[in-house]
Structures are given as C-alpha cells and as structure tokens.
C-alpha cells in the first residue's frame, strides 16, 4: 500500500515546509526508474508510486519531468575548484575529469537523450536547468581572473563558454563514443585543446 505523505507535506498552502525525506525518496525513485525503464517510459505517476508519495507532492517541487530528472541525475554541482591555485591547466583538467565521471554514471547515461530533447524544445526549461550551474561558473571565473593576472590566460576568455565546451565535448562523447571516456587519454586530449585555446600569446 502506498504510504501517505507526512502532514507537513500535504496540501498546497503557502509557506508549508517541505519534508526533506520526501525530496530524497522522490529523487532516489527517479534515479532507480531511469536506469530500469529509461527516460521515455518514466512518468511522474511511476515516480510517485515508487517513492510512496503523490503526484501532487512531485509537482509541488518540480514543474516537469525534465526538471525532476535533471536534479536526480545531477544531484549536486561543485561550488569550487578543488585543485590548488596556480596552474590553470590543472584547474581545467580537474573540471573535465569531474564532468566525465558524472556523465558516465548509469543514471546520467539513461537520462541524457530524453533530457536533451526536452530542453531543446523548451528554452525556459533549459534556462532553469542551466541556472543550477551558476556556482561552477563563479568558481571558474575566479580561477580565470587569477590566471589572467599571472599571464597564463589571455584576457576576454568567458567562463560560461568554457563550461559550454567542457559539457558539450563530454555530452557528445557519451552519446557517440562512451568507450573513449574511460581512458585518461580523452581527458588529457580535451584539456590540451582547451589550454591551447585560452593560453596567452
């Protein structure tokens, strides 16, 4: 029998606190179902049933399947670059490697084709999803400014475009040649291309 959501999560009244246990159950159910049945077959009703809650609870948190899937597949984004400052090539390599490691997980690989299609068809959705990566861009901007001051990187390089290039290269490899991503050679190759592209003359 499907469990009833806690009292704190029922109804639609303004200011009602969200129960983090329900959030976690929904995201876990979404990730499990993505791997089991794929993006196309995933429905909000199926997620609600697996999570032991209601579709109302899902739509109170996420306005669409695509937004729910995005958060389940990418539950957190890095807020800082962990490598020691002083070498922008190492910063880029660390970002590329982390991105690769996320994109090759079974959940992300199951989510990507349908998620990309839905985001392509809905510009507002794409904007809301992209906004979740704001902290990554801020962190990269800090490292870019430091590298420019050291004379390592030419001025005018935009962190948003670097994030686009890293994400785009990884996404294309996942869709076309996922076996290439397993090797460190892929990370090294993409790093070399990007470092050459941003380096000061």
């Amino acid at each position: 029998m499907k469990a009833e959501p806690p009292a704190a999560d029922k109804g639609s009244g303004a200011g009602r606190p969200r129960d983090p246990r329900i959030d976690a159950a929904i995201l876990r159910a979404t990730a499990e179902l993505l791997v089991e049945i794929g993006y196309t077959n995933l429905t909000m009703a199926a997620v609600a049933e697996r999570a032991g809650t209601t579709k109302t609870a899902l739509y109170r948190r996420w306005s669409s399947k695509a937004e729910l899937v995005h958060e389940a597949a990418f539950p957190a984004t890095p807020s800082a670059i962990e490598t020691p400052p002083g070498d922008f090539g190492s910063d880029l390599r660390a970002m590329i490697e982390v991105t690769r490691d996320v994109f090759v997980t079974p959940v992300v690989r199951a989510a990507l084709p349908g998620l990309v299609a839905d985001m392509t068809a809905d510009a507002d959705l794409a904007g809301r999803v992209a906004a979740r990566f704001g902290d990554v861009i801020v962190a990269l901007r800090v490292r870019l400014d430091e590298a420019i001051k050291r004379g390592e990187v030419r001025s005018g390089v935009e962190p948003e475009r670097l994030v686009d290039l890293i994400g785009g290269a990884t996404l294309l490899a996942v869709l076309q040649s996922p076996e290439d991503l397993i090797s460190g050679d892929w990370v090294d190759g993409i790093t070399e291309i990007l470092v050459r592209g941003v380096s000061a003359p």
Side-chain angles (χ1 to χ4, degrees), residues 75-101:
T77 56
S79 59
I81 299 172
E82 301 297 333
T83 54
D87 179 357
F88 193 68
S90 295
D91 292 342
L92 274 182
R93 193 186 191 288
M95 285 195 66
I96 293 165
E97 192 167 32
V98 166
T99 304
R100 185 274 310 271
D101 290 347

Side-chain angles (χ1 to χ4, degrees), residues 45-66:
V47 172
E49 183 176 3
R50 173 69 65 92
T53 187
T54 65
K55 284 200 299 181
T56 300
L58 269 66
Y59 281 112
R60 190 180 301 127
R61 292 161 168 78
W62 297 276
S63 63
S64 68
K65 180 175 86 168

Side-chain angles (χ1 to χ4, degrees), residues 50-199:
R50 173 69 65 92
T53 187
T54 65
K55 284 200 299 181
T56 300
L58 269 66
Y59 281 112
R60 190 180 301 127
R61 292 161 168 78
W62 297 276
S63 63
S64 68
K65 180 175 86 168
E67 288 186 87
L68 169 58
V69 166
H70 188 273
E71 189 163 341
F74 303 96
T77 56
S79 59
I81 299 172
E82 301 297 333
T83 54
D87 179 357
F88 193 68
S90 295
D91 292 342
L92 274 182
R93 193 186 191 288
M95 285 195 66
I96 293 165
E97 192 167 32
V98 166
T99 304
R100 185 274 310 271
D101 290 347
V102 170
F103 274 55
V104 296
T105 62
V107 174
V108 172
R109 290 186 62 179
L112 276 176
L115 189 58
V116 168
D118 281 355
M119 289 173 61
T120 300
D122 186 341
D124 290 340
L125 168 64
R128 292 193 297 274
V129 168
R132 296 188 63 224
F133 293 93
D135 288 347
V136 177
I137 293 171
V138 170
L140 185 55
R141 187 182 299 280
V142 170
R143 290 300 177 92
L144 267 174
D145 289 343
E146 293 170 350
I148 289 169
K149 290 175 183 176
R150 293 193 303 269
E152 227 182 306
V153 172
R154 59 183 171 81
S155 61
V157 176
E158 299 178 14
E160 293 87 352
R161 302 293 78 79
L162 270 180
V163 170
D164 288 346
L165 289 169
I166 293 169
T170 311
L171 172 62
L172 193 61
V174 168
L175 296 176
Q176 291 190 342
S177 54
E179 65 281 357
D180 291 348
L181 293 174
I182 305 303
S183 168
D185 292 344
W186 183 89
V187 175
D188 291 337
I190 298 299
T191 301
E192 182 179 1
I193 291 169
L194 291 182
V195 168
R196 287 178 180 274
V198 303
S199 294

